[in-house]
Amino acid sequence: MTLNLASESGESDMNASVNEPRLWRDNGWTARVIKNEDDDGWAVEMVKDGEPEPALVGPWTMGRDKKNPKPLDTAAFHTLVKTASEVLRRHEQQLHAMHHKSVTVTAAGERITVTLDIVPDEDDPHAMLGAHDATGEPLARVRVAAGFKLSSASASAWIADDFRRPG
């Protein structure tokens, strides 16, 4: 089956649904059954539209002839989309956790939340250290080195130093 993805403007139409035995494209995702590089079997890769790399690559079931892959179908595609979406969500959560930290300390009888937001810029990596009172009102915000280690001790020391930029 040949699929013409060229639109009237001459650009490829990545929104067009494709439902082929080894290629499915729908709802912003593409599933492609590929030869498994590690053995004689098959694999499936899931690519989110606009992304250069697959979000998920996993083994794929052999067909009845034990040579060719089992064809993709609606149920399998929806399961693959759900799994690949979960992988991306976990990755985003992990990145967020790596770049955004917070601790809450008590200083002068007041609970203060200190946050560290790392900016992983290739040319100018840095972080922003911030403090908020119990109602969420900002108390201070300063730029620090990207390698600044936020802990209860470093937060308390920063507060005790009247929120001066740590050295």
Side-chain angles (χ1 to χ4, degrees), residues 50-68:
E51 294 296 322
E53 297 291 324
L56 175 72
V57 177
W60 189 244
T61 309
M62 295 287 246
R64 290 184 182 187
D65 66 2
K66 302 295 181 206
K67 288 193 289 188
N68 294 305

Side-chain angles (χ1 to χ4, degrees), residues 4-75:
N4 182 0
L5 294 177
S7 65
E8 290 178 14
S9 66
E11 297 174 7
S12 72
D13 184 2
M14 292 305 290
N15 294 328
S17 291
V18 177
N19 302 89
E20 297 178 2
R22 293 189 190 177
L23 175 70
W24 275 55
R25 181 177 297 126
D26 201 9
N27 295 328
W29 286 94
T30 300
R32 184 182 336 271
V33 176
I34 57 176
K35 192 75 176 135
N36 189 339
E37 297 174 4
D38 296 335
D39 63 27
D40 292 333
W42 296 89
V44 64
E45 66 178 10
M46 291 296 294
V47 180
K48 187 169 178 69
D49 285 357
E51 294 296 322
E53 297 291 324
L56 175 72
V57 177
W60 189 244
T61 309
M62 295 287 246
R64 290 184 182 187
D65 66 2
K66 302 295 181 206
K67 288 193 289 188
N68 294 305
K70 177 181 166 186
L72 287 163
D73 60 28
T74 302

Side-chain angles (χ1 to χ4, degrees), residues 23-141:
L23 175 70
W24 275 55
R25 181 177 297 126
D26 201 9
N27 295 328
W29 286 94
T30 300
R32 184 182 336 271
V33 176
I34 57 176
K35 192 75 176 135
N36 189 339
E37 297 174 4
D38 296 335
D39 63 27
D40 292 333
W42 296 89
V44 64
E45 66 178 10
M46 291 296 294
V47 180
K48 187 169 178 69
D49 285 357
E51 294 296 322
E53 297 291 324
L56 175 72
V57 177
W60 189 244
T61 309
M62 295 287 246
R64 290 184 182 187
D65 66 2
K66 302 295 181 206
K67 288 193 289 188
N68 294 305
K70 177 181 166 186
L72 287 163
D73 60 28
T74 302
F77 181 75
H78 288 296
T79 299
L80 288 165
V81 167
K82 183 178 177 183
T83 303
S85 297
E86 180 66 19
V87 167
L88 288 181
R89 189 179 68 77
R90 285 184 189 158
H91 180 70
E92 288 166 1
Q93 286 175 335
Q94 181 182 16
L95 280 177
H96 181 80
M98 281 177 35
H99 294 129
H100 304 281
K101 311 237 185 255
S102 76
V103 297
T104 301
V105 295
T106 301
E110 185 179 355
R111 291 184 60 77
I112 298 175
T113 300
V114 177
T115 59
L116 181 69
D117 298 306
I118 298 170
V119 180
D121 186 302
E122 282 186 31
D123 297 324
D124 185 23
H126 62 281
M128 297 303 295
L129 189 61
H132 296 81
D133 67 15
T135 65
E137 285 296 313
L139 300 172
R141 186 166 168 87

